[in-house]
Amino acid sequence: MSVSTAAPAQSVCAPLPVLGRDVTVPLVTGGEVTYAALDYAASAPALQRVWDDVAAYAPYYGSVHRGAGYLSQLSTDLFENARRTVAEFLDCRPDDQLVFTRSTTDSLNLLARALPAGCQVFVFETEHHASLLPWQDARVTYLDAPRTPRQAVETLERALADRDPHGPALVCVTGASNVTGELWPVRELAAAAHAHGARIVLDAAQLAPHHPVSVRDLDVDWVAFSGHKLYAPFGSGVLAGRADWLQAAEPYLAGGGASRRVTRREDGGVAVEWHESAARHEAGSPNVIGAYSIAAACKALTEAGFDTLVAREQYLIEKVRAGLAEVPEVRVLSLFGDDAPRVGVISFVVEGWNSSHFAAALSAEYGIGVRDGLFCAHPLVRTLLGTDPQTQGECGAPEAAPGEKSLNAIRVSFGAGTPDEHVERFANAVRELVADGAKWAYRTEEGRCVPAV
């Protein structure tokens, strides 16, 4: 998987319109400034196009799969059309199933519940907790963090060569790291998995908003992602891929919608015949607006063109990296090195600063929203920060167990809706804070660093 090199600034397209682009926030030093949302990796702002589409549908909202009325039929058609739209966005195979869930976390927990008996799972310690933790009830092999894409493939090949060749196996891998932004060699990992009789699920939460994701081209068995990272609000996600394990599993949730037929048994119990379609794992009233918002985002990104979006994002990446490179006290975190292709996610630490303190100052004094901490990828961030102890007791310093180091980092992330001014303000703010220090005093409140008042 490769990333396009950006064109010169004057030929890079304008950002896509998003909600909140004109919101102003107060500064502790006085006055207001337009908020610079640079935490896309947590939740991207909704595209204006998505919001407009949802607003146009909202008056026609009705129950899904449950009613004979016009609005119910309209909402049902919209929900199922959304399923087809997202499947096209992912370039799914004809016999794949696409299940709407609440999030990437929900999708991967659903798949974990559908694993065949005795399934072995292989997962790198570098994964987000959403893809690291759902496999606790399976036989899990955790793989050490690789330092090159080639090493990732070789590590997986060795682990798979040692597995029981007669049982089912699943590999779980991210497409783009939520900590470093680096792209993983998904196609090569999929080939390694299949060569050893294993299947593979792709966590595309950080990849799908930035790059096209083709189930067929990458040759993955499943893909999972979240709407809230794809510029689509309302708490919906997707699990798409092979139908057999999903059809053979007990429903993720038991209830209406998942059941085709329910009868009383002679012994007084209840007999249930479950659906074999995606409805099997969509019990209850579905989040039709969440599904519709994902489909609207898929359409908007497709129409904007990923070649154009990738070029613009690469331009922003280079601006941020160039700005950070001007500050010797900044160390950018990386597994694969400076030349590794990546999406708009960059994490770093600043010598002499606790990361929570630095992030608080960016917000309070510059109106810039970033993320600090371990980013729900604790093993990875601890590996990357293993040699960087931070002073305990400093404002916002996270608690550490006795004998452990207090560790956290800062993450800046951006995407299709980010204007140049936001990343330029960020780079200037980093330089000023390192050179001059914070202008305001800060204190710790409930574990967070906040301005002292």
Side-chain angles (χ1 to χ4, degrees), residues 28-197:
V28 294
T29 51
E32 293 186 340
V33 67
T34 302
Y35 183 65
L38 296 178
D39 193 15
Y40 276 47
S43 283
L47 288 174
Q48 184 68 54
R49 156 78 178 275
V50 171
W51 194 260
D52 291 344
D53 285 351
V54 168
Y57 160 67
Y60 301 93
Y61 171 78
S63 61
V64 176
H65 302 148
R66 301 291 197 275
Y70 179 81
L71 296 191
S72 292
Q73 293 295 308
L74 179 68
S75 293
T76 298
D77 287 346
L78 183 144
F79 184 71
E80 293 305 331
N81 283 332
R83 195 190 308 275
R84 287 187 283 272
T85 295
V86 179
E88 291 173 3
F89 179 78
L90 295 172
D91 191 26
C92 288
R93 297 163 292 248
D95 55 352
D96 282 341
Q97 270 190 4
L98 190 146
V99 180
F100 282 116
T101 66
R102 293 178 298 174
S103 60
T104 307
T105 302
D106 198 36
S107 296
L108 293 172
N109 274 272
L110 189 166
L111 185 60
R113 286 276 298 274
L115 295 180
C119 188
Q120 293 178 271
V121 178
F122 298 83
V123 55
F124 286 93
E125 67 172 351
T126 48
E127 293 292 306
H128 185 281
H129 294 172
S131 48
L132 184 74
L133 301 181
W135 323 106
Q136 300 296 310
D137 293 335
R139 290 188 293 161
V140 188
T141 298
Y142 294 104
L143 307 176
D144 292 340
R147 289 298 180 169
T148 65
R150 182 64 235 168
Q151 188 180 69
V153 177
E154 292 171 349
T155 297
L156 179 62
E157 287 176 333
R158 286 194 298 269
L160 291 172
D162 291 338
R163 82 174 186 91
D164 176 2
H166 302 295
L170 178 71
V171 176
C172 180
V173 66
T174 189
S177 171
N178 78 302
V179 176
T180 67
E182 292 163 318
L183 299 180
W184 277 62
V186 177
R187 189 179 293 104
E188 292 81 359
L189 291 167
H194 294 152
H196 289 86

Side-chain angles (χ1 to χ4, degrees), residues 175-229:
S177 171
N178 78 302
V179 176
T180 67
E182 292 163 318
L183 299 180
W184 277 62
V186 177
R187 189 179 293 104
E188 292 81 359
L189 291 167
H194 294 152
H196 289 86
R199 296 189 179 189
I200 186 168
V201 57
L202 169 64
D203 174 356
Q206 299 296 340
L207 182 63
H210 305 277
H211 283 266
V213 175
S214 168
V215 169
R216 282 189 265 204
D217 182 51
L218 295 174
D219 197 22
V220 295
D221 298 281
W222 293 276
V223 61
F225 71 90
S226 296
H228 71 98
K229 299 186 192 302

